[in-house]
Amino acid sequence: AASAAPAPTAAIQAPGLAGGLAGVLVANPLLAANPMLLMQAMMGNPLVAAGIVQPGVPRPDLAPHESDMIDPDVQELCDHFHIEERHARRLSDIMKRRQETFVEDIERLYDVLARAHSPAGLLVVKMREMEEGTFVGKAKADKDLAAMSKKFKLDEQAEQKLADILQRYDADRRKEYMTEIEKHLEVSNRPSAMVMMLLRKLGDGAPLGRPGQPAPGSYADRQRQGREDGDRRDKDGDAATETGTATGTGTAGTATGVTARSGPDPEADDGERRHVRLRGRAGADADGGRGGSRARPKAS
């Protein structure tokens, strides 16, 4: 056994095995010290003999590595915008480190790439932003912004732009901006366009300034017209009430002393019925006085 041990050492020095088995023996001294173990490894895997692999050490290039697999959602995005594979692989590797914001990031990429003249070029820019930590995924509108959007009928793009910008600020500053934005939208007859005009100041963190006069058809203008129409209806109703009261008093007040009232008042209806009965009774008494069936008895 002692005489057989130098054989592997000789193999290390053999020129033909310098890049094959020799490398295996140098990396695994136990194999050099145990020829039987070396022989078993060579018989079990011919690649060991050629020095292509080392026993117990897997080769990364013989099996698909995790980093080589493109995420299905990333692949779908790149297929949708006809983006080549090398960009898809880079994006997939980046997104593996952004699992917490994966959904928001992909949704934002769909939005921005859909409006891009060159989706592949813009994707490269956005991937650089992700690597630098400046990329912001798609923000969701909170309940206050959703209510404002519903009130002024903002389109989807305007609502999303506001959500993206407002998320940069803390709660107090966001609340202040929401109040300012609402005042500007109230006087605009094109609220979505007004949002786009305010984006620059919102992005710079600047005050939005005082809103202008209400434009025709704006929310404030519609509210004003609604109040005026309501006041006009109230005035018309009051005038009709006064007219009806005067008419009822002239007709019924003399006979019964009861003032007629306008509207579906039960007491007024009862008074009118009493007035009718009184007239009917007066007519019956008159007929009786002329010899009718209900003649009054003569006083004794």
Side-chain angles (χ1 to χ4, degrees):
S3 60
T9 304
I12 296 176
Q13 300 173 351
L17 297 177
L21 183 58
V24 176
L25 296 176
V26 171
N28 297 272
L30 292 178
L31 293 179
N34 193 338
M36 295 299 296
L37 181 61
L38 175 61
M39 185 174 296
Q40 291 177 0
M42 294 172 61
M43 295 177 62
N45 189 349
L47 295 178
V48 174
I52 298 176
V53 296
Q54 298 180 15
V57 180
R59 279 198 56 186
D61 56 342
L62 294 181
H65 194 271
E66 183 180 357
S67 62
D68 295 333
M69 298 178 63
I70 300 176
D71 185 278
D73 292 319
V74 173
Q75 186 66 62
E76 183 177 357
L77 171 75
C78 293
D79 290 343
H80 181 78
F81 293 104
H82 308 288
I83 294 173
E84 53 188 298
E85 183 179 352
R86 62 190 181 96
H87 294 322
R89 290 190 178 279
R90 180 184 173 189
L91 177 60
S92 182
D93 291 340
I94 292 174
M95 295 305 298
K96 287 174 183 178
R97 300 189 294 271
R98 300 175 64 90
Q99 291 300 311
E100 294 183 358
T101 60
F102 186 95
V103 175
E104 291 80 5
D105 292 346
I106 293 295
E107 288 180 351
R108 179 64 183 276
L109 288 176
Y110 269 105
D111 289 343
V112 297
L113 296 182
R115 298 190 294 269
H117 178 71
S118 173
L122 183 57
L123 177 61
V124 173
V125 174
K126 295 303 176 183
M127 288 191 294
R128 187 181 305 116
E129 291 180 0
M130 291 181 182
E131 293 171 340
E132 295 173 352
T134 59
F135 180 83
V136 180
K138 184 176 182 179
K140 296 181 179 179
D142 58 20
K143 62 178 182 180
D144 294 331
L145 180 55
M148 179 186 291
S149 178
K150 182 178 180 180
K151 176 180 178 180
F152 297 106
K153 297 180 175 60
L154 299 181
D155 59 35
E156 184 178 355
Q157 183 179 4
E159 178 181 329
Q160 186 60 54
K161 291 288 187 181
L162 281 179
D164 291 341
I165 289 184
L166 291 176
Q167 75 169 355
R168 305 177 187 176
Y169 302 101
D170 57 32
D172 292 338
R173 185 57 176 140
R174 188 162 56 246
K175 185 176 180 180
E176 293 174 359
Y177 262 143
M178 287 287 289
T179 302
E180 291 187 67
I181 293 169
E182 186 167 8
K183 291 179 179 179
H184 282 268
L185 297 184
E186 284 180 348
V187 300
S188 173
N189 54 8
R190 298 176 59 197
S192 296
M194 175 60 71
V195 168
M196 296 302 176
M197 295 173 61
L198 297 175
L199 291 179
R200 179 69 178 272
K201 293 182 178 180
L202 290 170
D204 294 340
L208 302 184
R210 297 180 59 182
Q213 294 297 320
S218 64
Y219 179 86
D221 182 61
R222 294 196 303 271
Q223 293 294 103
R224 179 183 58 79
Q225 289 183 356
R227 289 192 298 268
E228 291 179 354
D229 292 343
D231 293 342
R232 190 178 301 109
R233 286 193 297 269
D234 291 341
K235 291 180 180 178
D236 293 343
D238 292 341
T241 302
E242 294 175 359
T243 303
T245 302
T247 303
T249 302
T251 304
T254 302
T256 64
V258 179
T259 302
R261 300 172 182 171
S262 63
D265 189 348
E267 295 182 0
D269 293 341
D270 291 342
E272 182 67 22
R273 285 194 293 270
R274 285 196 300 270
H275 179 64
V276 172
R277 287 197 302 271
L278 287 173
R279 287 188 299 175
R281 181 172 180 176
D285 290 343
D287 292 341
R290 292 192 294 268
S293 58
R294 296 186 59 185
R296 294 180 181 180
K298 295 181 181 180
S300 56

